[in-house]
Amino acid sequence: MRPASGAAAAGHNGLLTRFLATVAAGAVAVSIAVAARQAQTPPVFRGGTNLVQLDVSVLDRDYKPVTGLTAADFTLLENGKPQAVVAFAAVNVPPPAPPTASWMQDVAPDVLSNQLRDSRIIVLVVDDVGVGSLAGWRSVRRTAEALIDSLGSDDRMAVVYAFGNATAQDFTADRVRLRRALSGMGSEKEPTAVTLLNGLNVESGQCTCRLCSIEVLERVAQSLKGIQDRRKVVVFLSTGVAIVPGDILCESAQRVALNRVFREAQLANVSIYPVDPSGLKTKGGRGGEDRAQDFLLTLAGYTGGHAVVNDNFPERVAPRIMVETGSYYLLGYEPSGLDPKGDEYRRLDVKVNRPGVEVHTRSRYYNPPAKVTEAAAEAPPLESAIAGALSRRDLPMRLAVAPFASAAPSGSTVIFTIGLDAPPTAPGTTDAVDVLTRAFTPDGTPRGSTERTARIALPSGAAEATFEVFSRMDLGPGRYELRVSAHHQRLDKTGSVYVSIDVPDFSRLPLSVSGVVMRTRPAPPAALGNLLATLLPATVTPTARREFTRADRVTAFARVYQGGRPAVVPVSISLTITDEHNAPLRSFTDALPLDDFAAGRFVNYEHDLPVADLAPGAYLMTIQATVRGEAPIRRDVRFSVK
């Protein structure tokens, strides 16, 4: 199947466009964080030479990556003619070490950093229009969970649906949130059947001709263009789209849409790995099932992925995708004789001088047409730092967020604690840091924005000064993607961190617990002022530190609420410390004062952590508030002792 080229574009699905489109100047729809569209240029190697870049996977008969190859082992052909490989690199992402405790996988850190090693960026695209059966949905869920379980600690995954994105999830390493995003699947009940009209390849609703199943891939690829020096993978869970020759209503629009997918995938250097959840099929001529499978195989072949088809247990095969994408080669070549007008295709073929190996890379190169563009005004640093699909790393940052009930009209406020490091300073230096915070709902709707400048006097003579600045934002109950950027004026550097958060309905829930705030003494310099005076006791200054020494004095602080109007009831609270071998080391249980609840319907809870008694290593602190006969409300914090 060769998709036809053409300039005419099919109309975008309205819901999908809103879901993936830019929300506002400098901000993006955050369900997959689609970056503002940029000029289409070929990928660039670190060395700075403009080349066509190919990600090449070489696998042996057991589907294991073949390592140790050099540039001399590869032959690269363009339209059948050999090309010089002028840039080459071998990439090997080590598999994650097996966790020694289950919480190391199940509990995400409550402090996020923008200083991640270069690892994989994975978008899990669920084609919720075309699954069509309960068994298929169950297979999709098992396969998605297997992929989530295979993530490395520095990998980032997003979950996107072709049509219904109420539970979509932006990039995260939080496996609990990723699994929660799978709740949009129809695995618990039979999904609503999609009606075929008059036997044609046209579905009812807003996904005519199954275009939304194709266009979501184009939009995802567009969103990944701005990410450099990462392996970018789209796993497409779909039974495929049958493109029927002669179907005057759909064929042309489908082929145009598919051609755009191939172009955008190349320009973003994205590989698509289709996984068919429908199991083994019997070949029956050129029926719809064959055409749908051809669609999946073509997606993989043109983009350098690997299709998983005709397998009754795709969840067993899917984790191999993580193995393949963790060990690969970067090849660069410079095409010659290109039409300056662009819009041409060249066939690519990569061979390896090893017997019995399988090579996966994209099978063609597209030369985009030159575009005359107007010079765009450069966005302010704080705005541009939160406009990309991933956080910016120029200014190292650590971020902790914690929701609390408040007197704000929204009923709750989120506290932002931002940890920064600065080089040595002269005596009496005052640093200024501009901070921008933005909140979005899962579908990309903006829900709040704050901007402030924090000023702090740093100690002089230190090799490096660690200090913390703060911000706050009033938000109502719900699920949010928070984007925080900071610009250090003296260093003229900007960074950002993105985090997902759930804000409880403190005023209505019978029992709820705020976010956990950690305090340490000695404390790093902090530009706090009275910013949090109405939210925290004067003695509590939050920190984004989660690595402590045995000489530190560390305290955990949280607030327990009883909402609604019923009479308050007794509440017990416990704090447990578990080590990296899943052994509970310390456990403390208290009854919270009922009179305090009666006075304000909340009680402050503080507890010192016995870090002086802990051996160096990783730990989990768990706080649980319980009302008799009800499930406990739990908050977890990971920390380490050195």
Side-chain angles (χ1 to χ4, degrees):
M1 180 175 64
R2 293 277 177 183
S5 62
H12 293 149
N13 169 274
L15 173 67
L16 184 63
T17 302
R18 289 195 300 273
F19 166 61
L20 297 178
T22 299
V23 176
V28 294
V30 297
S31 295
I32 62 166
V34 179
R37 296 182 184 179
Q38 303 171 350
Q40 298 182 350
T41 56
V44 178
F45 270 86
R46 288 183 185 271
T49 304
N50 287 324
L51 302 170
V52 175
Q53 177 178 318
L54 302 177
D55 293 354
V56 182
S57 297
V58 183
L59 309 174
D60 64 16
R61 292 184 177 90
D62 297 322
Y63 205 84
K64 294 180 180 178
V66 177
T67 60
L69 301 178
T70 67
D73 295 313
F74 290 85
T75 300
L76 195 160
L77 304 174
E78 182 192 78
N79 286 345
K81 297 180 180 180
Q83 304 293 313
V85 176
V86 297
F88 177 85
V91 179
N92 289 287
V93 179
T100 57
S102 57
W103 60 262
M104 291 181 165
Q105 280 192 322
D106 297 333
V107 177
D110 74 316
V111 172
L112 297 183
S113 168
N114 60 359
Q115 297 302 293
L116 295 174
R117 293 174 295 178
D118 293 342
S119 196
R120 289 164 293 195
I121 302 300
I122 302 142
V123 182
L124 190 62
V125 178
V126 182
D127 184 10
D128 51 336
V129 176
V131 175
S133 72
L134 181 59
W137 277 114
R138 288 173 174 165
S139 178
V140 167
R141 178 179 289 275
R142 290 193 303 267
T143 302
E145 290 176 341
L147 288 163
I148 292 170
D149 289 340
S150 302
L151 287 174
S153 59
D154 286 324
D155 293 333
R156 292 295 180 266
M157 177 182 279
V159 179
V160 178
Y161 291 83
F163 187 77
N165 277 288
T167 64
Q169 173 61 50
D170 201 355
F171 287 111
T172 183
D174 188 335
R175 298 173 187 232
V176 173
R177 291 189 178 277
L178 289 169
R179 292 190 184 98
R180 186 189 303 173
L182 304 184
S183 63
M185 297 181 181
S187 58
E188 301 302 323
K189 59 183 179 180
E190 194 75 29
T192 302
V194 179
T195 304
L196 296 179
L197 302 179
N198 302 322
L200 298 175
N201 190 26
V202 185
E203 276 101 9
S204 63
Q206 298 183 54
C207 192
T208 305
C209 300
R210 290 285 302 280
L211 286 178
C212 70
S213 300
I214 305 173
E215 290 173 340
V216 66
L217 298 173
E218 175 193 3
R219 297 299 180 122
V220 168
Q222 286 175 340
S223 76
L224 300 177
K225 280 183 186 176
I227 301 175
Q228 302 297 324
D229 306 322
R230 301 282 188 100
R231 185 74 192 266
K232 293 174 283 187
V233 177
V234 172
V235 180
F236 185 47
L237 295 170
S238 173
T239 56
V241 178
I243 298 181
V244 181
D247 180 352
I248 59 174
L249 199 57
C250 291
E251 182 192 8
S252 176
Q254 289 170 330
R255 292 189 183 278
V256 168
L258 187 58
N259 216 35
R260 291 200 307 268
V261 171
F262 296 144
R263 295 182 184 185
E264 295 299 330
Q266 178 211 300
L267 295 170
N269 199 30
V270 169
S271 300
I272 301 176
Y273 285 74
V275 179
D276 184 355
S278 59
L280 183 64
K281 297 182 178 68
T282 302
K283 283 286 184 180
R286 302 305 301 166
E289 286 188 348
D290 290 346
R291 293 190 180 98
Q293 193 171 98
D294 285 348
F295 174 87
L296 299 177
L297 294 170
T298 303
L299 272 178
Y302 278 12
T303 66
H306 183 90
V308 178
V309 296
N310 280 327
D311 195 307
N312 288 330
F313 304 98
E315 67 272 15
R316 299 179 185 176
V317 180
R320 295 180 185 174
I321 294 173
M322 305 303 290
V323 176
E324 175 179 340
T325 56
S327 182
Y328 60 100
Y329 299 90
L330 299 178
L331 273 63
Y333 84 101
E334 189 169 5
S336 59
L338 291 175
D339 186 339
K341 296 181 181 179
D343 202 19
E344 68 172 304
Y345 290 94
R346 296 187 175 188
R347 188 176 69 257
L348 298 177
D349 191 19
V350 176
K351 302 180 183 297
V352 177
N353 60 356
R354 294 286 192 278
V357 299
E358 194 173 312
V359 179
H360 295 288
T361 191
R362 51 190 165 92
S363 61
R364 64 179 184 173
Y365 165 66
Y366 168 66
N367 178 34
K371 290 189 175 181
V372 178
T373 59
E374 296 181 0
E378 185 176 350
L382 290 175
E383 296 280 356
S384 62
I386 62 170
L390 293 181
S391 55
R392 181 173 295 181
R393 299 184 285 181
D394 298 346
L395 177 68
M397 295 173 56
R398 298 171 298 281
L399 173 68
V401 295
F404 281 80
S406 73
S410 64
S412 53
T413 299
V414 176
I415 297 173
F416 299 82
T417 304
I418 303 161
L420 300 165
D421 300 315
T425 60
T429 297
T430 297
D431 271 2
V433 178
D434 303 315
V435 177
L436 172 67
T437 61
R438 288 258 172 95
F440 301 89
T441 60
D443 65 356
T445 303
R447 280 291 182 261
S449 178
T450 63
E451 188 170 355
R452 66 183 300 265
T453 298
R455 301 184 185 279
I456 183 168
L458 298 179
S460 59
E464 185 175 64
T466 296
F467 65 101
E468 293 176 320
V469 298
F470 304 89
S471 189
R472 58 182 288 174
M473 180 184 293
D474 298 333
L475 287 172
R479 177 176 160 225
Y480 299 95
E481 166 83 3
L482 303 179
R483 298 193 163 205
V484 182
S485 59
H487 178 73
H488 193 294
Q489 294 184 12
R490 176 168 60 90
L491 302 179
D492 194 23
K493 290 185 177 181
T494 306
S496 58
V497 182
Y498 306 159
V499 62
S500 298
I501 186 176
D502 298 302
V503 177
D505 192 343
F506 295 112
S507 64
R508 294 189 179 185
L509 290 173
L511 181 68
S512 59
V513 180
S514 70
V516 177
V517 167
M518 304 294 283
R519 179 184 65 178
T520 182
R521 289 154 290 175
L528 181 58
N530 62 355
L531 183 68
L532 307 180
T534 60
L535 296 171
L536 300 176
T539 57
V540 177
T541 300
T543 182
R545 283 185 58 193
R546 294 297 183 266
E547 183 180 64
F548 307 110
T549 70
R550 299 176 72 179
D552 289 327
R553 296 180 60 194
V554 183
T555 302
F557 174 87
R559 188 166 282 163
V560 183
Y561 305 92
Q562 292 193 49
R565 294 184 178 180
V568 296
V569 296
V571 177
S572 64
I573 194 162
S574 65
L575 185 149
T576 304
I577 296 176
T578 305
D579 71 8
E580 58 193 16
H581 301 290
N582 237 25
L585 299 183
R586 299 284 192 279
S587 186
F588 311 90
T589 302
D590 296 292
L592 297 179
L594 194 60
D595 290 345
D596 289 359
F597 276 119
R601 304 197 73 90
F602 71 86
V603 171
N604 290 337
Y605 174 73
E606 285 188 81
H607 203 288
D608 293 336
L609 274 61
V611 293
D613 300 330
L614 300 178
Y619 296 91
L620 175 69
M621 181 194 72
T622 300
I623 294 176
Q624 292 192 116
T626 308
V627 171
R628 180 178 294 179
E630 301 293 336
I633 307 299
R634 174 172 174 158
R635 297 288 180 264
D636 292 307
V637 174
R638 295 174 60 155
F639 70 96
S640 63
V641 176
K642 62 178 181 179

